[in-house]
Amino acid sequence: MKAILKFTVVMAFMFTTVLSMAKEPKLYIAAGRDAKSLVFSMETQSDGTSIKFVDAKNNLIYSERIADANGYTKRFDMSKLAEGKYIFEMEDAVRVIQYTIEVEATNMEIIEKTERTKPYFRRKGDRIYLNLLNLDKGGVQVKVYDGDNRLIYKELFTGELVVEKVFNFEKAFEDSYTVVVKDSNDTYYEAVIVE
């Protein structure tokens, strides 16, 4: 048990280190005559990186799944958008970064940037390892449901910076299971098939 705890602490530390060392994606307002254009760039990204752009009513304006792992740059023309607030979101396997943009008649400004980490799931044999960097130390609820949507496990973590849990499906019945992790920001799902 101590070995598993030590391993998960080391994995959480490595996860945090990788996040801090990774090149940050950049969203900025183009200078000069294109002052109502946004430019988004990333040097590298992980599998499953996606971007989306929505208005204040959560209507989707643009979305794309980024396939090129060697770099990505895209310019967005904002000149035809109505005045108001918009959200630009980049999501990959470990985090979600949101930028709030305010568009006015003659001006545009990035007014806020928020970043939140997502849980990291790793499977080794019949075990699922869960790690979540819980920066706000808010409550994190973890549940496991079987294929008939019956709750088979529930735990609440409070005040913990790193939430870690190992699920052992070694003696579980053949079925599809869903691990649900809910923190103060969002709800995340991980499917587990036991054959």
Side-chain angles (χ1 to χ4, degrees), residues 2 15 22 24 29-31 43 54 56 60 74 79 90 101 103 116 123 132 147 154-155 161 165 176-177:
K2 285 184 181 181
F15 175 70
E24 282 294 311
I29 298 170
E43 288 186 23
V54 297
L60 183 65
K74 186 154 190 100
S79 63
M90 187 282 309
I101 300 142
V103 175
R116 63 184 191 271
R123 186 171 190 155
L132 172 65
K154 176 177 160 182
E155 186 171 353
L161 179 62
K165 184 71 182 168
S176 60
Y177 298 89

PDB file of all heavy atoms in Angstrom, residues 2 15 22 24 29-31 43 54 56 60 74 79 90 101 103 116 123 132 147 154-155 161 165 176-177:
ATOM      1  N   LYS A   2       1.958   1.229   0.826  1.00  0.00           N
ATOM      2  CA  LYS A   2       2.849   2.383   0.866  1.00  0.00           C
ATOM      3  C   LYS A   2       3.518   2.601  -0.482  1.00  0.00           C
ATOM      4  O   LYS A   2       3.733   3.735  -0.895  1.00  0.00           O
ATOM      5  CB  LYS A   2       3.912   2.200   1.955  1.00  0.00           C
ATOM      6  CG  LYS A   2       3.374   2.401   3.348  1.00  0.00           C
ATOM      7  CD  LYS A   2       4.492   2.312   4.357  1.00  0.00           C
ATOM      8  CE  LYS A   2       3.945   2.480   5.768  1.00  0.00           C
ATOM      9  NZ  LYS A   2       4.995   2.420   6.769  1.00  0.00           N
ATOM     10  N   PHE A  15       3.627  14.966 -13.051  1.00  0.00           N
ATOM     11  CA  PHE A  15       2.544  15.551 -13.832  1.00  0.00           C
ATOM     12  C   PHE A  15       2.583  17.076 -13.705  1.00  0.00           C
ATOM     13  O   PHE A  15       2.503  17.797 -14.689  1.00  0.00           O
ATOM     14  CB  PHE A  15       1.218  14.975 -13.320  1.00  0.00           C
ATOM     15  CG  PHE A  15      -0.006  15.554 -13.934  1.00  0.00           C
ATOM     16  CD1 PHE A  15      -0.331  15.304 -15.258  1.00  0.00           C
ATOM     17  CD2 PHE A  15      -0.857  16.333 -13.178  1.00  0.00           C
ATOM     18  CE1 PHE A  15      -1.474  15.819 -15.815  1.00  0.00           C
ATOM     19  CE2 PHE A  15      -2.000  16.847 -13.727  1.00  0.00           C
ATOM     20  CZ  PHE A  15      -2.306  16.598 -15.048  1.00  0.00           C
ATOM     21  N   ALA A  22       5.920  22.681 -19.920  1.00  0.00           N
ATOM     22  CA  ALA A  22       5.371  22.684 -21.276  1.00  0.00           C
ATOM     23  C   ALA A  22       5.264  24.112 -21.794  1.00  0.00           C
ATOM     24  O   ALA A  22       5.007  25.039 -21.050  1.00  0.00           O
ATOM     25  CB  ALA A  22       3.990  22.031 -21.272  1.00  0.00           C
ATOM     26  N   GLU A  24       3.617  27.144 -23.160  1.00  0.00           N
ATOM     27  CA  GLU A  24       2.248  27.618 -23.030  1.00  0.00           C
ATOM     28  C   GLU A  24       1.683  28.007 -24.385  1.00  0.00           C
ATOM     29  O   GLU A  24       2.374  28.636 -25.186  1.00  0.00           O
ATOM     30  CB  GLU A  24       2.215  28.847 -22.118  1.00  0.00           C
ATOM     31  CG  GLU A  24       2.304  28.535 -20.654  1.00  0.00           C
ATOM     32  CD  GLU A  24       1.094  27.790 -20.131  1.00  0.00           C
ATOM     33  OE1 GLU A  24      -0.049  28.196 -20.384  1.00  0.00           O
ATOM     34  OE2 GLU A  24       1.314  26.774 -19.458  1.00  0.00           O
ATOM     35  N   ILE A  29      -3.861  39.535 -29.539  1.00  0.00           N
ATOM     36  CA  ILE A  29      -4.518  40.384 -30.524  1.00  0.00           C
ATOM     37  C   ILE A  29      -3.462  40.818 -31.530  1.00  0.00           C
ATOM     38  O   ILE A  29      -2.382  41.277 -31.151  1.00  0.00           O
ATOM     39  CB  ILE A  29      -5.174  41.603 -29.845  1.00  0.00           C
ATOM     40  CG1 ILE A  29      -6.259  41.116 -28.873  1.00  0.00           C
ATOM     41  CG2 ILE A  29      -5.740  42.558 -30.881  1.00  0.00           C
ATOM     42  CD1 ILE A  29      -6.824  42.178 -27.980  1.00  0.00           C
ATOM     43  N   ALA A  30      -3.776  40.650 -32.808  1.00  0.00           N
ATOM     44  CA  ALA A  30      -2.833  41.033 -33.866  1.00  0.00           C
ATOM     45  C   ALA A  30      -2.626  42.541 -33.846  1.00  0.00           C
ATOM     46  O   ALA A  30      -3.558  43.309 -33.623  1.00  0.00           O
ATOM     47  CB  ALA A  30      -3.355  40.580 -35.218  1.00  0.00           C
ATOM     48  N   ALA A  31      -1.408  42.946 -34.066  1.00  0.00           N
ATOM     49  CA  ALA A  31      -1.075  44.370 -34.064  1.00  0.00           C
ATOM     50  C   ALA A  31      -1.344  44.982 -35.434  1.00  0.00           C
ATOM     51  O   ALA A  31      -1.520  44.285 -36.428  1.00  0.00           O
ATOM     52  CB  ALA A  31       0.400  44.544 -33.693  1.00  0.00           C
ATOM     53  N   GLU A  43       3.331  25.578 -29.796  1.00  0.00           N
ATOM     54  CA  GLU A  43       4.522  24.937 -30.363  1.00  0.00           C
ATOM     55  C   GLU A  43       4.322  23.439 -30.474  1.00  0.00           C
ATOM     56  O   GLU A  43       4.660  22.838 -31.474  1.00  0.00           O
ATOM     57  CB  GLU A  43       5.746  25.264 -29.519  1.00  0.00           C
ATOM     58  CG  GLU A  43       6.171  26.713 -29.690  1.00  0.00           C
ATOM     59  CD  GLU A  43       7.467  27.017 -28.988  1.00  0.00           C
ATOM     60  OE1 GLU A  43       8.253  26.088 -28.741  1.00  0.00           O
ATOM     61  OE2 GLU A  43       7.686  28.189 -28.681  1.00  0.00           O
ATOM     62  N   VAL A  54     -16.842  30.255 -28.631  1.00  0.00           N
ATOM     63  CA  VAL A  54     -18.282  30.376 -28.402  1.00  0.00           C
ATOM     64  C   VAL A  54     -18.638  31.798 -28.001  1.00  0.00           C
ATOM     65  O   VAL A  54     -17.798  32.554 -27.517  1.00  0.00           O
ATOM     66  CB  VAL A  54     -18.782  29.389 -27.309  1.00  0.00           C
ATOM     67  CG1 VAL A  54     -18.565  27.951 -27.727  1.00  0.00           C
ATOM     68  CG2 VAL A  54     -18.123  29.661 -25.973  1.00  0.00           C
ATOM     69  N   ALA A  56     -21.406  34.509 -25.822  1.00  0.00           N
ATOM     70  CA  ALA A  56     -21.848  34.588 -24.429  1.00  0.00           C
ATOM     71  C   ALA A  56     -23.019  33.654 -24.126  1.00  0.00           C
ATOM     72  O   ALA A  56     -23.239  33.280 -22.976  1.00  0.00           O
ATOM     73  CB  ALA A  56     -22.228  36.028 -24.084  1.00  0.00           C
ATOM     74  N   LEU A  60     -21.825  27.802 -30.487  1.00  0.00           N
ATOM     75  CA  LEU A  60     -20.537  27.468 -31.084  1.00  0.00           C
ATOM     76  C   LEU A  60     -20.316  28.269 -32.363  1.00  0.00           C
ATOM     77  O   LEU A  60     -21.126  28.234 -33.275  1.00  0.00           O
ATOM     78  CB  LEU A  60     -20.476  25.972 -31.383  1.00  0.00           C
ATOM     79  CG  LEU A  60     -19.163  25.448 -31.940  1.00  0.00           C
ATOM     80  CD1 LEU A  60     -18.041  25.604 -30.917  1.00  0.00           C
ATOM     81  CD2 LEU A  60     -19.317  23.983 -32.320  1.00  0.00           C
ATOM     82  N   LYS A  74      -3.113  29.892 -35.905  1.00  0.00           N
ATOM     83  CA  LYS A  74      -4.336  30.233 -36.647  1.00  0.00           C
ATOM     84  C   LYS A  74      -4.745  31.651 -36.293  1.00  0.00           C
ATOM     85  O   LYS A  74      -4.690  32.054 -35.136  1.00  0.00           O
ATOM     86  CB  LYS A  74      -5.464  29.266 -36.302  1.00  0.00           C
ATOM     87  CG  LYS A  74      -6.697  29.497 -37.155  1.00  0.00           C
ATOM     88  CD  LYS A  74      -7.490  28.233 -37.260  1.00  0.00           C
ATOM     89  CE  LYS A  74      -8.568  28.334 -38.260  1.00  0.00           C
ATOM     90  NZ  LYS A  74      -8.266  27.733 -39.524  1.00  0.00           N
ATOM     91  N   SER A  79     -13.664  40.957 -36.844  1.00  0.00           N
ATOM     92  CA  SER A  79     -14.260  42.231 -37.255  1.00  0.00           C
ATOM     93  C   SER A  79     -15.755  42.128 -37.551  1.00  0.00           C
ATOM     94  O   SER A  79     -16.464  43.121 -37.444  1.00  0.00           O
ATOM     95  CB  SER A  79     -13.526  42.783 -38.476  1.00  0.00           C
ATOM     96  OG  SER A  79     -13.664  41.902 -39.574  1.00  0.00           O
ATOM     97  N   MET A  90      -9.071  26.160 -25.214  1.00  0.00           N
ATOM     98  CA  MET A  90      -8.147  25.136 -25.669  1.00  0.00           C
ATOM     99  C   MET A  90      -8.185  24.018 -24.636  1.00  0.00           C
ATOM    100  O   MET A  90      -8.071  24.265 -23.438  1.00  0.00           O
ATOM    101  CB  MET A  90      -6.723  25.700 -25.768  1.00  0.00           C
ATOM    102  CG  MET A  90      -5.693  24.772 -26.395  1.00  0.00           C
ATOM    103  SD  MET A  90      -4.969  23.421 -25.439  1.00  0.00           S
ATOM    104  CE  MET A  90      -4.403  24.169 -23.960  1.00  0.00           C
ATOM    105  N   ILE A 101     -12.919  37.164 -24.064  1.00  0.00           N
ATOM    106  CA  ILE A 101     -12.584  38.250 -24.986  1.00  0.00           C
ATOM    107  C   ILE A 101     -13.778  39.180 -25.074  1.00  0.00           C
ATOM    108  O   ILE A 101     -14.916  38.733 -25.221  1.00  0.00           O
ATOM    109  CB  ILE A 101     -12.260  37.689 -26.388  1.00  0.00           C
ATOM    110  CG1 ILE A 101     -11.081  36.736 -26.283  1.00  0.00           C
ATOM    111  CG2 ILE A 101     -11.985  38.800 -27.384  1.00  0.00           C
ATOM    112  CD1 ILE A 101     -11.184  35.552 -27.168  1.00  0.00           C
ATOM    113  N   VAL A 103     -15.405  42.165 -27.294  1.00  0.00           N
ATOM    114  CA  VAL A 103     -15.363  42.828 -28.590  1.00  0.00           C
ATOM    115  C   VAL A 103     -16.257  44.057 -28.504  1.00  0.00           C
ATOM    116  O   VAL A 103     -17.428  43.973 -28.137  1.00  0.00           O
ATOM    117  CB  VAL A 103     -15.860  41.882 -29.715  1.00  0.00           C
ATOM    118  CG1 VAL A 103     -15.923  42.616 -31.048  1.00  0.00           C
ATOM    119  CG2 VAL A 103     -14.968  40.663 -29.806  1.00  0.00           C
ATOM    120  N   ARG A 116      -7.562  25.274 -15.789  1.00  0.00           N
ATOM    121  CA  ARG A 116      -7.874  24.245 -14.797  1.00  0.00           C
ATOM    122  C   ARG A 116      -7.325  22.908 -15.291  1.00  0.00           C
ATOM    123  O   ARG A 116      -7.284  22.647 -16.490  1.00  0.00           O
ATOM    124  CB  ARG A 116      -9.361  24.167 -14.499  1.00  0.00           C
ATOM    125  CG  ARG A 116     -10.241  23.775 -15.625  1.00  0.00           C
ATOM    126  CD  ARG A 116     -11.724  23.838 -15.222  1.00  0.00           C
ATOM    127  NE  ARG A 116     -12.554  23.220 -16.194  1.00  0.00           N
ATOM    128  CZ  ARG A 116     -13.081  23.822 -17.241  1.00  0.00           C
ATOM    129  NH1 ARG A 116     -12.847  25.097 -17.437  1.00  0.00           N
ATOM    130  NH2 ARG A 116     -13.832  23.166 -18.090  1.00  0.00           N
ATOM    131  N   ARG A 123      -4.102   3.304 -16.816  1.00  0.00           N
ATOM    132  CA  ARG A 123      -4.492   1.917 -16.592  1.00  0.00           C
ATOM    133  C   ARG A 123      -3.255   1.037 -16.613  1.00  0.00           C
ATOM    134  O   ARG A 123      -2.412   1.140 -17.499  1.00  0.00           O
ATOM    135  CB  ARG A 123      -5.467   1.455 -17.670  1.00  0.00           C
ATOM    136  CG  ARG A 123      -5.997   0.067 -17.395  1.00  0.00           C
ATOM    137  CD  ARG A 123      -7.114  -0.309 -18.325  1.00  0.00           C
ATOM    138  NE  ARG A 123      -7.724  -1.542 -17.843  1.00  0.00           N
ATOM    139  CZ  ARG A 123      -8.934  -1.920 -18.088  1.00  0.00           C
ATOM    140  NH1 ARG A 123      -9.713  -1.163 -18.811  1.00  0.00           N
ATOM    141  NH2 ARG A 123      -9.395  -3.049 -17.621  1.00  0.00           N
ATOM    142  N   LEU A 132      -5.441  13.865  -9.636  1.00  0.00           N
ATOM    143  CA  LEU A 132      -6.013  15.168  -9.966  1.00  0.00           C
ATOM    144  C   LEU A 132      -5.312  16.223  -9.132  1.00  0.00           C
ATOM    145  O   LEU A 132      -5.285  16.137  -7.893  1.00  0.00           O
ATOM    146  CB  LEU A 132      -7.520  15.193  -9.672  1.00  0.00           C
ATOM    147  CG  LEU A 132      -8.211  16.557  -9.802  1.00  0.00           C
ATOM    148  CD1 LEU A 132      -8.164  17.051 -11.248  1.00  0.00           C
ATOM    149  CD2 LEU A 132      -9.650  16.484  -9.321  1.00  0.00           C
ATOM    150  N   GLY A 147     -22.462  -0.945 -15.618  1.00  0.00           N
ATOM    151  CA  GLY A 147     -23.112  -0.811 -16.911  1.00  0.00           C
ATOM    152  C   GLY A 147     -24.605  -0.540 -16.841  1.00  0.00           C
ATOM    153  O   GLY A 147     -25.194  -0.039 -17.797  1.00  0.00           O
ATOM    154  N   LYS A 154     -18.375   5.343  -3.960  1.00  0.00           N
ATOM    155  CA  LYS A 154     -18.504   6.795  -3.809  1.00  0.00           C
ATOM    156  C   LYS A 154     -17.538   7.247  -2.730  1.00  0.00           C
ATOM    157  O   LYS A 154     -17.423   6.610  -1.674  1.00  0.00           O
ATOM    158  CB  LYS A 154     -19.939   7.124  -3.429  1.00  0.00           C
ATOM    159  CG  LYS A 154     -20.214   8.574  -3.156  1.00  0.00           C
ATOM    160  CD  LYS A 154     -21.693   8.745  -2.860  1.00  0.00           C
ATOM    161  CE  LYS A 154     -21.956  10.005  -2.121  1.00  0.00           C
ATOM    162  NZ  LYS A 154     -23.368  10.164  -1.782  1.00  0.00           N
ATOM    163  N   GLU A 155     -16.811   8.343  -3.007  1.00  0.00           N
ATOM    164  CA  GLU A 155     -15.912   8.917  -2.005  1.00  0.00           C
ATOM    165  C   GLU A 155     -15.797  10.420  -2.249  1.00  0.00           C
ATOM    166  O   GLU A 155     -15.768  10.877  -3.390  1.00  0.00           O
ATOM    167  CB  GLU A 155     -14.528   8.269  -2.088  1.00  0.00           C
ATOM    168  CG  GLU A 155     -13.596   8.710  -0.979  1.00  0.00           C
ATOM    169  CD  GLU A 155     -12.293   7.914  -0.910  1.00  0.00           C
ATOM    170  OE1 GLU A 155     -12.146   6.919  -1.653  1.00  0.00           O
ATOM    171  OE2 GLU A 155     -11.434   8.289  -0.096  1.00  0.00           O
ATOM    172  N   LEU A 161      -4.750  18.868  -1.936  1.00  0.00           N
ATOM    173  CA  LEU A 161      -4.117  19.451  -3.111  1.00  0.00           C
ATOM    174  C   LEU A 161      -4.003  18.419  -4.235  1.00  0.00           C
ATOM    175  O   LEU A 161      -4.227  18.729  -5.391  1.00  0.00           O
ATOM    176  CB  LEU A 161      -2.727  19.994  -2.759  1.00  0.00           C
ATOM    177  CG  LEU A 161      -1.936  20.615  -3.900  1.00  0.00           C
ATOM    178  CD1 LEU A 161      -2.664  21.816  -4.469  1.00  0.00           C
ATOM    179  CD2 LEU A 161      -0.539  21.005  -3.441  1.00  0.00           C
ATOM    180  N   LYS A 165      -6.325   8.079  -6.289  1.00  0.00           N
ATOM    181  CA  LYS A 165      -7.103   6.905  -5.951  1.00  0.00           C
ATOM    182  C   LYS A 165      -6.741   5.787  -6.924  1.00  0.00           C
ATOM    183  O   LYS A 165      -6.504   6.034  -8.100  1.00  0.00           O
ATOM    184  CB  LYS A 165      -8.608   7.217  -6.047  1.00  0.00           C
ATOM    185  CG  LYS A 165      -9.516   6.108  -5.642  1.00  0.00           C
ATOM    186  CD  LYS A 165      -9.480   5.881  -4.154  1.00  0.00           C
ATOM    187  CE  LYS A 165     -10.367   4.719  -3.769  1.00  0.00           C
ATOM    188  NZ  LYS A 165     -10.157   4.305  -2.415  1.00  0.00           N
ATOM    189  N   SER A 176     -19.130  -2.952 -18.302  1.00  0.00           N
ATOM    190  CA  SER A 176     -18.541  -1.638 -18.576  1.00  0.00           C
ATOM    191  C   SER A 176     -18.827  -0.757 -17.365  1.00  0.00           C
ATOM    192  O   SER A 176     -19.948  -0.737 -16.847  1.00  0.00           O
ATOM    193  CB  SER A 176     -19.135  -1.035 -19.846  1.00  0.00           C
ATOM    194  OG  SER A 176     -20.528  -0.877 -19.698  1.00  0.00           O
ATOM    195  N   TYR A 177     -17.811  -0.070 -16.902  1.00  0.00           N
ATOM    196  CA  TYR A 177     -17.909   0.785 -15.725  1.00  0.00           C
ATOM    197  C   TYR A 177     -17.559   2.209 -16.122  1.00  0.00           C
ATOM    198  O   TYR A 177     -16.845   2.443 -17.103  1.00  0.00           O
ATOM    199  CB  TYR A 177     -16.948   0.308 -14.629  1.00  0.00           C
ATOM    200  CG  TYR A 177     -17.257  -1.084 -14.134  1.00  0.00           C
ATOM    201  CD1 TYR A 177     -16.701  -2.208 -14.744  1.00  0.00           C
ATOM    202  CD2 TYR A 177     -18.107  -1.284 -13.059  1.00  0.00           C
ATOM    203  CE1 TYR A 177     -16.986  -3.487 -14.304  1.00  0.00           C
ATOM    204  CE2 TYR A 177     -18.403  -2.558 -12.601  1.00  0.00           C
ATOM    205  CZ  TYR A 177     -17.836  -3.655 -13.236  1.00  0.00           C
ATOM    206  OH  TYR A 177     -18.130  -4.922 -12.791  1.00  0.00           O
TER     207      TYR A 177
END
